[in-house]
Amino acid sequence: MKIIGLTGGIACGKSTVSTELRALGAAIIDADALAHELSQPGQPIFNAYVERFGREIVTAGGTLDRAAIAARVFADPAVRAEVDAIAHPLIRTAAEERLRAARAQNKMAAVLDVPLLFEAGWDALADEVWVVALPAEEQLARLLARDKSMSEGEARARISAQMPLAEKCARADIVIDNTGTPGETRECIEQLWRERIIGRS
């Protein structure tokens, strides 16, 4: 089984590529979805956050108060580092369990769909890394189109908060240029699947 680390810049189309790979038969391990799952009441991230911050970060409905956590995280870099140190190992452990399950199901490929793949060191789990990329101005335009409430300044700040896309591309094994039509992107992914997965499975 080949393990693909999939990442890219915000609004570059990583989710589209992930969807295409799922359709071709890959097991998709989505780090954001795992984080959401582990943050539900009684789950490991929920329990760890409550132990660290107390019940004031729990809503009346019994779920994590994401706004309260975000306020603490963005106000203090030390708190952000602490929250990352709590969450990241729990998410990674869950991802490794999913990888073992995919291998047991004889999947040809598993995809680690992780926005912060390099930053979190998850590229070490992958056999190869695929980065979804766009030119800077098109990335900005797509982000503004996706989130109508965001100002251009906020969008640029969101983009600049990530590792530069050029650096991700330099570290990638495969760079997927997503400037074309959805059909062209699909053809590109199908060709990569034939060459990188079927050809070397």
Side-chain angles (χ1 to χ4, degrees):
M1 183 181 79
K2 175 164 282 189
I3 301 173
I4 299 164
L6 179 66
T7 193
I10 187 170
C12 284
K14 179 175 61 64
S15 297
T16 300
V17 172
S18 181
T19 299
E20 294 295 342
L21 288 167
R22 187 192 300 275
L24 289 166
I28 306 298
I29 300 162
D30 182 329
D32 286 344
L34 282 178
H36 181 74
E37 191 178 304
L38 295 172
S39 299
Q40 298 307 304
Q43 294 300 309
I45 290 178
F46 177 95
N47 294 341
Y49 282 6
V50 172
E51 185 177 329
R52 167 61 181 84
F53 297 111
R55 298 296 300 183
E56 61 263 30
I57 61 153
V58 179
T59 67
T63 59
L64 286 178
D65 185 339
R66 297 188 180 281
I69 295 168
R72 290 166 186 247
V73 162
F74 291 113
D76 187 342
V79 173
R80 181 173 190 166
E82 190 177 352
V83 164
D84 286 346
I86 290 169
H88 288 178
L90 294 169
I91 299 167
R92 183 161 173 156
T93 296
E96 289 171 348
E97 288 172 2
R98 302 289 171 94
L99 284 173
R100 285 193 290 273
R103 192 169 274 115
Q105 293 164 10
N106 294 316
K107 291 283 188 179
M108 294 182 72
V111 176
L112 291 170
D113 182 340
V114 190
L116 303 179
L117 185 85
F118 292 118
E119 296 91 328
W122 283 41
D123 54 312
L125 295 174
D127 296 314
E128 57 185 50
V129 173
W130 296 9
V131 170
V132 187
L134 288 172
E137 289 309 308
E138 184 159 354
Q139 181 186 13
L140 177 65
R142 289 198 192 185
L143 180 55
L144 288 169
R146 189 178 82 183
D147 190 339
K148 300 281 196 290
S149 66
M150 194 179 289
S151 71
E152 183 175 327
E154 288 169 334
R156 289 187 185 278
R158 190 74 63 88
I159 291 168
S160 66
Q162 295 190 330
M163 177 186 287
L165 191 52
E167 185 178 342
K168 290 184 180 183
C169 290
R171 294 174 63 175
D173 297 289
I174 298 290
V175 176
I176 298 165
D177 177 356
N178 197 30
T179 53
T181 65
E184 287 169 336
T185 298
R186 184 166 53 252
E187 285 176 18
C188 172
I189 301 309
E190 288 172 352
Q191 182 177 346
L192 283 170
W193 182 267
R194 287 191 298 271
E195 292 175 358
R196 312 294 294 193
I197 309 303
I198 297 174
R200 294 174 54 186
S201 61

